[in-house]
Amino acid sequence: MSAQSSPAIDVKFPKVLIVGQSFNKKSGGGITMSNLFKGWPKDRIAVASSENLSADIDTSVCEIYYQLGYGNKLHPFPLNVILPRIVCGPIALHGDNINGNPLVAKQAGKYGAIYDRLRRILKFFGLYNLLYTLKLTPDFAIWLKAYNPDIVYSQLSTLELIRFVGRIQSETSKPVAIHMMDDWPSTIEKPGLLYAYWKEKTDREFRLLINRSSVLLSISQEMSDEYGKRYGLDFKAFHNPIDLEFWKSHQRTCYSLSDEPAILYAGRIGAGIESSLESIAKAVELVNIKTGMSIKFILQTESKPGWMEQYPGVHHRSQVSYADLPRMFSAADMLVLPYDFSMESIKFIQFSMPTKAPEYMISGTPILVCAPSETAIVKNAQKNKWAKIVTENNIEKLSLAISELIQNMEERKHIAQNAIVFSERCFDAQKVRVSFRDSLSDFKSLEINY
């Protein structure tokens, strides 16, 4: 294990073991965690994960990593015959700011599609939760005892993680902090042969674990309110905080349109988002036809969606480094936050706030939200007036909203300035991190309900 020692340890920095999510600048959970834990003494923070850590490891916040697995392999038998054979155990780091092994990352990408197909097949037949069961191996137990955390933190997302965190708690009697990123308990078990069985089992084991946890956190106040009703427990909201100085370095101050106005979406594509992205593409085409303008809809995503070629106004841009995002966001004339309108999507994202939302807000670029009215993002935007909002899956209404925002500079300025004020008040990393550390430091005064 490699760790950067800290001069004087502030008593408000408990020694944390993070189980599951790793630090990165790509996923919502990884970015949120990186921003919340930034500044933590590196010898008081560690990650144990069954993700392929060798493919994407970020040492800017944490340098102590343990690769979890099944019989010293990344995947259980018989899947480890097909999928990457990554050896488990402590990750040896050398030097600063290591971002993984390019060769392993390439191999992980190659096998990603295979794993996704296998996972869907296993889940349909009800076998996934039988095969993927992490155990406290003797090697990990020795490492865990040597590290000796004060508290275990996890962004739970699977039954496998629920059980593993529970085993760690039973083995060590350490307090547990659970941080919910989205409402996966409502959608985790998609219909399959044993759907009802695994859904009931996941719900029961999740309730048992949160009732034994000392710290309960959510991603939004809307989620905290819902979980209070659903589980009868108090969840404190912590969203992705932002470093104001970093994001203000390119903050937009001029609201005149570019010669060729650009609407930007930056992030992932796929389930829960892609349908609305295509609706926005159709709406932009309609606005261009009606107005004679040449508005561009730019998708800054890892891959191109299959439908993109149908729309001349849609352009693809490769993802940029996190350090370049302030410049890219402020250079756009409009930023879009879309969510799909299907019932499955609503169940999953209803109480979530996108990681990029505060980053969009602080950029100074006006925001368009296209999402169902019952989602947390719409309710928050309506309450705090930081975006123009469309709550129907309707191309005409979407094109009208885009036209109004493009043609009305005062509205663009008003929305953007409201967003800046709101983000500075609620997402200032310097303030949020103190509150977050306090929440993880107060566990000693809380009783664990076994």
Side-chain angles (χ1 to χ4, degrees):
M1 291 187 296
S2 170
Q4 174 181 307
S5 59
S6 171
I9 300 299
D10 188 328
V11 293
K12 292 193 175 181
F13 285 100
K15 199 172 186 182
V16 180
L17 172 63
I18 297 166
V19 179
Q21 177 64 56
S22 63
F23 290 95
N24 62 66
K25 294 295 185 183
K26 294 181 179 180
S27 70
I31 291 170
T32 298
M33 206 165 71
S34 294
N35 289 330
L36 286 171
F37 281 98
K38 185 178 179 180
W40 215 277
K42 286 189 175 180
D43 57 351
R44 299 185 70 78
I45 187 168
V47 171
S49 177
S50 58
E51 295 177 359
N52 186 352
L53 296 176
S54 298
D56 182 20
I57 192 167
D58 176 16
T59 61
S60 64
V61 180
C62 172
E63 292 181 348
I64 306 175
Y65 287 88
Y66 192 101
Q67 179 69 70
L68 296 170
Y70 311 82
N72 206 32
K73 298 292 189 296
L74 190 62
H75 299 280
F77 181 84
L79 281 80
N80 59 33
V81 176
I82 306 168
L83 298 168
R85 300 183 181 184
I86 306 299
V87 176
C88 301
I91 304 292
L93 303 177
H94 305 283
D96 296 326
N97 202 25
I98 298 172
N99 288 304
N101 184 322
L103 177 61
V104 176
K106 186 176 181 180
Q107 291 174 338
K110 172 186 174 183
Y111 286 101
I114 298 174
Y115 173 60
D116 285 342
R117 291 191 186 98
L118 286 172
R119 182 173 56 182
R120 284 196 293 270
I121 292 170
L122 291 173
K123 286 194 171 184
F124 177 79
F125 286 102
L127 299 175
Y128 184 87
N129 291 322
L130 295 176
L131 285 174
Y132 280 85
T133 305
L134 283 168
K135 298 177 181 178
L136 261 73
T137 62
D139 288 345
F140 179 68
I142 292 170
W143 181 90
L144 179 60
K145 184 176 180 180
Y147 178 68
N148 191 28
D150 295 318
I151 189 167
V152 178
Y153 167 99
S154 184
Q155 295 178 4
L156 296 179
S157 57
T158 62
L159 178 58
E160 172 189 38
L161 272 181
I162 293 171
R163 290 171 167 176
F164 189 63
V165 171
R167 290 187 186 106
I168 292 175
Q169 185 187 54
S170 298
E171 180 75 16
T172 65
S173 298
K174 299 293 184 179
V176 167
I178 301 301
H179 196 170
M180 301 297 291
M181 295 288 106
D182 44 53
D183 193 23
W184 56 263
S186 296
T187 60
I188 189 170
E189 296 300 333
K190 294 184 179 180
L193 297 184
L194 297 176
Y195 168 74
Y197 172 79
W198 286 119
K199 186 172 179 60
E200 186 278 331
K201 199 164 187 61
T202 300
D203 179 71
R204 178 159 46 85
E205 295 192 29
F206 176 66
R207 288 175 184 269
L208 284 172
L209 182 59
I210 60 175
N211 274 288
R212 291 166 49 186
S213 297
S214 298
V215 182
L216 296 174
L217 310 173
S218 76
I219 199 64
S220 72
Q221 188 56 50
E222 288 79 8
M223 179 179 283
S224 291
D225 294 342
E226 167 63 20
Y227 279 19
K229 299 172 187 173
R230 188 188 301 176
Y231 302 113
L233 298 169
D234 293 330
F235 284 73
K236 187 172 182 179
F238 280 101
H239 190 55
N240 177 39
I242 48 177
D243 285 303
L244 298 185
E245 185 177 352
F246 169 74
W247 283 96
K248 284 185 172 184
S249 60
H250 293 278
Q251 194 174 64
R252 189 183 182 101
T253 56
C254 175
Y255 294 96
S256 299
L257 290 177
S258 308
D259 293 335
E260 290 188 345
I263 300 173
L264 174 66
Y265 169 77
R268 72 173 184 87
I269 56 174
I273 289 176
E274 192 161 355
S275 176
S276 284
L277 281 177
E278 187 172 6
S279 294
I280 292 168
K282 292 177 182 178
V284 169
E285 293 298 310
L286 187 56
V287 172
N288 285 340
I289 291 170
K290 287 183 175 180
T291 64
M293 298 179 73
S294 299
I295 302 170
K296 296 179 180 178
F297 182 30
I298 300 172
L299 300 178
Q300 188 170 294
T301 57
E302 189 171 353
S303 59
K304 297 180 182 180
W307 47 262
M308 197 186 99
E309 302 301 329
Q310 302 175 44
Y311 309 101
V314 181
H315 302 261
H316 183 262
R317 177 191 294 163
S318 298
Q319 289 182 316
V320 301
S321 69
Y322 195 76
D324 289 329
L325 289 181
R327 178 174 55 84
M328 304 304 290
F329 288 177
S330 62
D333 293 281
M334 189 189 308
L335 298 167
V336 292
L337 280 173
Y339 274 140
D340 287 353
F341 288 78
S342 69
M343 286 307 300
E344 184 179 359
S345 296
I346 292 171
K347 284 177 68 177
F348 186 70
I349 53 87
Q350 183 172 355
F351 308 111
S352 299
M353 280 284 284
T355 302
K356 67 176 73 66
E359 301 168 351
Y360 271 18
M361 294 177 202
I362 196 66
S363 71
T365 298
I367 301 167
L368 174 68
V369 169
C370 176
S373 58
E374 55 265 57
T375 56
I377 188 172
V378 166
K379 292 177 181 178
N380 194 291
Q382 288 173 333
K383 180 180 178 180
N384 298 289
K385 299 179 171 51
W386 51 261
K388 192 171 184 70
I389 305 164
V390 177
T391 60
E392 294 181 48
N393 190 16
N394 184 300
I395 306 301
E396 287 287 343
K397 291 187 177 181
L398 192 50
S399 65
L400 179 61
I402 292 171
S403 293
E404 290 174 349
L405 206 51
I406 287 291
Q407 295 171 9
N408 189 334
M409 186 172 72
E410 283 303 310
E411 185 179 19
R412 292 197 303 275
K413 183 178 179 180
H414 179 69
I415 286 173
Q417 291 181 343
N418 281 348
I420 290 171
V421 170
F422 179 64
S423 61
E424 289 178 345
R425 186 175 79 245
C426 296
F427 304 111
D428 180 354
Q430 289 190 0
K431 298 176 182 176
V432 173
R433 284 177 193 141
V434 172
S435 180
F436 180 71
R437 288 196 297 267
D438 288 345
S439 293
L440 294 191
S441 301
D442 290 342
F443 62 86
K444 290 180 180 178
S445 65
L446 297 174
E447 181 182 350
I448 305 176
N449 300 314
Y450 288 102

